[in-house]
Amino acid sequence: MVDYSCYLVTDSSLVHHSRNLVDTVQQAVDAGVTIVQLREKELETGAFIELARKLLEITKKANIPLLINDRVDVALAVDADGVHIGQDDMPLSIARRLLGNGKIIGVTAATIEEAKVAVENGADYIGIGACFGTSTKKLKKIPMGPRGVLEILEALPANAKAVTIGGINSSNAERVIRHSHGSDGRKLEGVAVVSDIVAAENVPEKVAELKQAIARGFINTVPASIYPDELKLKVAQVFDKLRATSPLVHHITNFVVMNDTANATLALGGSPIMAQNIEEVHELGKFVGSLLLNIGTLNNEFVTGMVGAGKAANKNRTPIILDPVGAGASSLRKSTMKLLTDSLDIGIVKGNAGEISCLAGTGEVEMRGVDSVGGTNDGASMVTRTSKLEKSVIAMTGVVDYVSDGHRTYSIHNGHEYLGKITGSGCMATTAIACYAADDLLVAAIAGLASMGVAAEYAAKRSDVNGPNTFKAALIDELHNLTAEKLLQSLKLQKC
Ligand code: 3NM
Ligand code: MG
């Protein structure tokens, strides 16, 4: 049984200047990588064999396999444990004939077809790539993202083994593995990493981080179901906690709602910071309770800031809440949503029916600008499906709101029609969710939408409210006046 979980692929041109490749591999093996592939594109045969010998000494002592990239002759010369071949290298059948059945042969595949053929022809494992963008190798195809990796994996026989490669690092490995959990219980065997390990300043620390992230990704427990009454008590608890702790909510959001959402955060009990410049997002990172990314009024500076802040948040394990405003309305917004959901581990996505259907890739609900045209008559199934696909909590707003973590789905029947008459109420709902995100993300999504819905009902009832504008002011007041008791009394929550 080969352990492919933490797979090191070498590249001596990327090794950090403080070491050579042999030291790097020694440190990585000592720190617990589970398999090594010697991948050298420039070495002459003699030097290649000599390097392979040195690495084999290291891997043998640790009792882990050493594979050779491409060069079957080098693998034979040093009696390595196997080879890894690409689509343009020696055909698998010939490599197998030369190496025999006792050796490991891995094959790179970028499509379902390539992967299927390799498995049929007896590859021991498939290297699916590229998952993300990488500067380590010139890619021939657009990176497929974790969802693309799962599509290939699910097309293979259940016993096929696969890892993925390309842009994997300690901040995305957890999500990549978690995303690979398929419907029939299969998953990736592990992740293959080049630059994040070989170019690291501190290899043992980096390998430890990676191994922890990989281990977290393999945990795939089905959460226990919670009855609505129990959940309402949790909502009341997280409300009290929010008021007691006032978490810092970092917003990268649009110009239309920036002031309103900052006020909504304060009113609810959080502490807003609206920073989009990449220069400052890293500095803020460690104090931030949650990161809210909103793709309205997009510009390039926002996107750079979102990706930078998002990666830092994933590294710090700070929850990210994404509001894909108008995702179905323009291709720029859609591709930005895809960029963010592909490259970041998003905890919660909040959107209207059009935005969520765009995320699901079904387009079952149309968008006109940032508004959905109509809703869906099966919101519960839509959020459950999308959550299973994205491995994020999905919160969908509408006349009825729906929240799902893929296993547990609830509907919320609060709110007021004035919410649809003011701009930014959806963005404020996302802010409310982000305020609660220190806790269980399903509870956070419900608490956020519940707070908006209940506050809206209180606001609409006020004698000083006689239209959208007075409503907006009253809404901020009523977010401020909200109490755990009001939430418990007014929240209409159902299990779907
Ligand atoms: N193969 P890094 S991507 C060797 O897509 C390799 O098949 C790929 O390097 C493929 O971990 C890649 O530094 C390089 O991003 C991965
Ligand atoms: Mg090759």
Side-chain angles (χ1 to χ4, degrees):
M1 283 298 281
V2 180
D3 180 350
Y4 294 98
S5 61
C6 187
Y7 187 152
L8 168 65
V9 180
T10 71
D11 185 333
S12 44
S13 71
L14 295 175
V15 169
H16 190 261
H17 59 79
S18 61
R19 308 176 299 265
N20 62 29
L21 183 68
V22 177
D23 300 336
T24 303
V25 171
Q26 180 73 61
Q27 290 178 15
V29 169
D30 289 345
V33 299
T34 60
I35 177 167
V36 179
Q37 178 192 135
L38 172 59
R39 180 176 183 273
E40 291 299 330
K41 293 295 172 191
E42 307 293 336
L43 274 187
E44 298 291 349
T45 305
F48 205 143
I49 289 176
E50 197 180 316
L51 184 56
R53 275 222 172 85
K54 284 185 183 151
L55 296 196
L56 198 57
E57 223 173 277
I58 296 171
T59 55
K60 270 205 161 35
K61 267 195 199 131
N63 205 16
I64 62 171
L66 175 74
L67 309 187
I68 308 294
N69 182 284
D70 191 357
R71 297 287 300 269
V72 177
D73 57 338
V74 174
L76 283 168
V78 302
D79 194 25
D81 302 283
V83 294
H84 182 93
I85 51 184
Q87 292 292 322
D88 304 323
D89 297 337
M90 180 186 290
L92 173 54
S93 56
I94 301 177
R96 180 61 79 198
R97 180 144 44 79
L98 290 170
L99 288 165
N101 285 331
K103 297 292 183 189
I104 301 166
I105 304 185
V107 176
T108 296
T111 64
I112 289 177
E113 193 51 34
E114 286 174 0
K116 272 187 168 167
V117 168
V119 170
E120 275 162 22
N121 291 328
D124 293 285
Y125 75 92
I126 305 298
I128 302 175
C131 184
F132 300 116
T134 175
S135 44
T136 302
K137 174 176 168 176
K138 219 170 153 117
L139 299 179
K140 292 186 192 130
K141 292 199 179 74
I142 299 168
M144 63 184 83
R147 263 164 75 166
V149 174
L150 179 57
E151 271 168 35
I152 295 183
L153 193 60
E154 290 207 303
L156 297 179
N159 61 351
K161 296 187 186 314
V163 298
T164 188
I165 187 164
I168 311 291
N169 57 46
S170 55
S171 71
N172 60 29
E174 175 183 352
R175 156 183 164 75
V176 168
I177 301 272
R178 186 152 36 80
H179 264 242
S180 79
H181 288 266
S183 45
D184 51 2
R186 79 176 64 209
K187 53 191 174 309
L188 284 174
E189 297 290 310
V191 289
V193 175
V194 186
S195 55
D196 200 45
I197 295 177
V198 300
E201 209 172 306
N202 184 332
V203 170
E205 199 174 275
K206 179 56 73 179
V207 172
E209 271 178 26
L210 264 164
K211 285 180 72 82
Q212 280 163 19
I214 292 163
R216 287 196 304 268
F218 278 122
I219 299 169
N220 190 34
T221 47
V222 175
S225 76
I226 317 177
Y227 288 106
D229 281 346
E230 224 180 311
L231 205 44
K232 278 168 75 167
L233 287 173
K234 283 185 190 278
V235 167
Q237 277 168 10
V238 296
F239 175 85
D240 286 334
K241 187 170 166 194
L242 164 61
R243 288 285 159 102
T245 55
S246 190
L248 190 59
V249 181
H250 178 187
H251 291 64
I252 301 183
T253 192
N254 67 74
F255 296 123
V256 181
V257 303
M258 205 169 298
N259 182 64
D260 289 336
T261 53
N263 276 317
T265 309
L266 276 173
L268 197 53
S271 177
I273 177 151
M274 325 305 269
Q276 34 271 323
N277 197 302
I278 187 75
E279 302 291 326
E280 56 179 353
V281 298
H282 288 298
E283 225 177 307
L284 294 169
K286 47 187 176 295
F287 304 108
V288 169
S290 62
L291 172 67
L292 183 158
L293 305 178
N294 176 309
I295 65 166
T297 60
L298 271 179
N299 64 41
N300 290 339
E301 190 189 338
F302 276 22
V303 177
T304 312
M306 285 192 211
V307 173
K311 288 193 168 159
N314 282 165
K315 205 170 153 96
N316 297 334
R317 311 200 65 210
T318 303
I320 302 179
I321 299 86
L322 173 66
D323 190 337
V325 178
S330 78
S331 30
L332 172 68
R333 290 186 191 214
K334 187 173 175 179
S335 63
T336 304
M337 175 181 71
K338 184 143 174 41
L339 170 78
L340 296 174
T341 54
D342 270 355
S343 55
L344 302 174
D345 189 353
I346 308 281
I348 306 173
V349 183
K350 193 242 77 180
N352 60 29
E355 289 151 2
I356 299 304
S357 100
C358 178
L359 176 64
T362 55
E364 64 213 87
V365 178
E366 264 183 77
M367 299 279 302
R368 183 180 55 224
V370 296
D371 297 317
S372 286
V373 178
T376 165
N377 49 23
D378 199 0
S381 124
M382 197 159 126
V383 292
T384 312
R385 267 187 284 128
T386 313
S387 177
K388 281 203 161 92
L389 205 59
E390 274 300 306
K391 309 286 198 285
S392 304
V393 168
I394 304 293
M396 186 167 88
T397 50
V399 177
V400 175
D401 299 334
Y402 293 93
V403 174
S404 179
D405 66 0
H407 301 281
R408 303 169 296 184
T409 304
Y410 298 87
S411 58
I412 300 167
H413 305 252
N414 290 92
H416 190 272
E417 59 172 326
Y418 278 163
L419 285 172
K421 303 271 189 232
I422 59 170
T423 192
S425 59
C427 299
M428 282 191 237
T430 314
T431 287
I433 291 171
C435 285
Y436 290 109
D439 284 274
D440 179 304
L441 296 180
L442 179 79
V443 176
I446 291 171
L449 297 182
S451 300
M452 278 297 288
V454 171
E457 288 169 7
Y458 275 91
K461 271 193 272 193
R462 280 165 54 150
S463 58
D464 57 342
V465 169
N466 37 41
N469 202 35
T470 41
F471 171 76
K472 194 182 98 178
L475 179 61
I476 303 278
D477 288 348
E478 295 305 329
L479 283 170
H480 173 78
N481 293 337
L482 206 58
T483 62
E485 291 69 36
K486 283 183 181 174
L487 280 168
L488 279 173
Q489 260 170 30
S490 308
L491 173 55
K492 298 193 199 84
L493 183 67
Q494 285 173 18
K495 195 168 190 294
C496 300

